[in-house]
Amino acid sequence: MRRAMIIKYRTKPARYAVVGHPVEHSQSPWIHHCFAAQLGENIDYTRLRAPLDGFVACVRRFFAEGGRGLNITLPFKLDAYVLADAVSPRAAAAGAVNTLRADTDGLYGDNTDGVGLVRDIEHNLKLALKQRRILLLGAGGAARGVLPALLEAAPAELVIVNRTAARALELAQHFAPLAEHLACKLRGGGENVARGAFDIVINATSASVTATQPCFNSCAITEGTLAYDLMYGAQPSIFMRTAQRLGARVSNGVGMLVEQAAESFFVWRGKRPNSAPVIEQLRVRMLKTA
Ligand code: ATR
């Protein structure tokens, strides 16, 4: 049996944590301790459950007590964006922050979700997004968070479909200048705005949480499609099972989870972990704990 590598340091570890509500399910402590062991970094990473009305106080206390960085998960990514003293261009574009770092001149906010998704699709699943047709399902915080990075990957077309069509239309209008700059055709609306088959269909709705199927036209998925669910669990979601039946290649968001964590680690520590073995181990770990 392989043993976990335990490294003993003489100095106190640098403190990091993930803040959310709920947060008990988070795999982030395990992922970041894997990265730290890989790179010989002395860190301690824990979970912080902030009360729904107590996010700011929780974050302020953590940094006042010497914490170095935080990951922010649901439902606080917008609060973190407002709280940060300065934000990266990609966090500004997403309007949300999932990574906070204590700098000498205040809190720096970044968003690594989009780059995590694109890296998983392009690097791990080996599908270059340039000139592809992408269908994005959902128009909430998760969809908005990954949209700038998807557009930066230069697809030929990106269509946003949402149960409430007006929200998808609004999101498409918001990102129209960036899409135009990148020569990407961007549209949004109800399921009828998506015509024909897509190279990749991304489920960014929260439908999988309630084990329901997001609405989309089934013509969108064929044998050549990659169907990607941002959600992750030991079992495939209803969206993934439907896509599989339609002949698509499917993936859940485990790779994205590890890749966004790797990027946060880089923002904090200036070192890039090797994510591939961590993704592989996390898939096994999730099956064992299911
Ligand atoms: P998140 O931050 O996870 O994106 P959100 O901002 O509440 O959460 O957005 C949830 C998204 O999932 C929305 O696009 C929502 O559609 P509506 O705008 O119509 O509410 C979508 N969603 C949630 N449950 C769904 C379901 N059962 N079928 C289809 N879409 C669903």
Side-chain angles (χ1 to χ4, degrees):
M1 194 163 83
R2 208 190 309 163
R3 290 213 189 135
M5 185 163 54
I6 297 169
I7 304 170
K8 292 219 167 118
Y9 295 95
R10 284 173 196 278
T11 52
K12 266 188 161 180
R15 285 183 54 221
Y16 297 89
V18 54
V19 192
H21 185 116
V23 77
E24 295 72 21
H25 64 285
S26 174
Q27 300 286 344
S28 293
W30 182 85
I31 295 170
H32 281 279
H33 284 128
C34 285
F35 292 162
Q38 231 185 49
L39 295 165
E41 294 285 292
N42 185 14
I43 73 158
D44 180 34
Y45 190 115
T46 53
R47 297 181 185 90
L48 282 178
R49 187 181 209 263
L52 287 175
D53 59 354
F55 171 73
V56 172
C58 177
V59 170
R60 294 266 184 237
R61 197 177 321 119
F62 176 81
F63 285 113
E65 288 170 359
R68 300 276 289 278
L70 287 173
N71 277 134
I72 317 297
T73 189
L74 295 178
F76 299 125
K77 292 184 189 187
L78 282 177
D79 304 80
Y81 179 73
V82 173
L83 181 66
D85 298 298
V87 295
S88 65
R90 60 193 178 187
V97 155
N98 79 333
T99 306
L100 282 171
R101 184 182 68 203
D103 285 354
T104 47
D105 54 353
L107 287 182
Y108 173 74
D110 201 350
N111 192 316
T112 65
D113 287 329
V115 75
L117 172 64
V118 170
R119 206 166 281 161
D120 191 38
I121 294 170
E122 294 204 317
H123 185 75
N124 301 327
L125 301 171
K126 311 257 182 273
L127 182 82
L129 294 174
K130 196 174 161 82
Q131 288 303 313
R132 303 284 187 172
R133 294 192 80 214
I134 302 178
L135 175 58
L136 181 65
L137 306 177
R144 189 191 161 107
V146 298
L147 246 172
L150 288 173
L151 289 171
E152 295 283 351
E157 190 178 355
L158 199 158
V159 182
I160 309 164
V161 160
N162 194 44
R163 180 175 61 182
T164 310
R167 288 184 82 191
L169 193 60
E170 206 178 298
L171 204 55
Q173 279 164 355
H174 178 83
F175 283 101
L178 178 63
E180 197 178 315
H181 173 69
L182 295 162
C184 170
K185 273 194 264 168
L186 176 66
R187 284 181 295 128
E191 58 190 286
N192 291 335
V193 295
R195 292 189 199 96
F198 286 78
D199 298 302
I200 170 157
V201 180
I202 300 169
N203 181 18
T205 73
S206 49
S208 300
V209 174
T210 50
T212 43
Q213 169 78 43
C215 16
F216 66 94
N217 192 330
S218 60
C219 299
I221 296 183
T222 63
E223 278 170 15
T225 305
L226 169 67
Y228 192 107
D229 201 325
L230 297 195
M231 293 281 164
Y232 51 88
Q235 302 305 325
S237 64
I238 292 187
F239 166 74
M240 287 165 70
R241 279 184 271 147
T242 304
Q244 236 159 1
R245 273 200 301 275
L246 293 167
R249 177 159 76 116
V250 299
S251 176
N252 68 11
V254 166
M256 172 184 171
L257 174 71
V258 175
E259 293 294 354
Q260 63 78 30
E263 186 71 10
S264 293
F265 195 92
F266 180 73
V267 170
W268 294 323
R269 311 293 299 175
K271 290 185 180 176
R272 225 172 251 296
N274 179 9
S275 40
V278 180
I279 294 173
E280 205 175 302
Q281 285 171 44
L282 183 55
R283 288 197 199 280
V284 174
R285 183 181 152 87
M286 287 176 70
L287 276 176
K288 277 188 191 157
T289 54

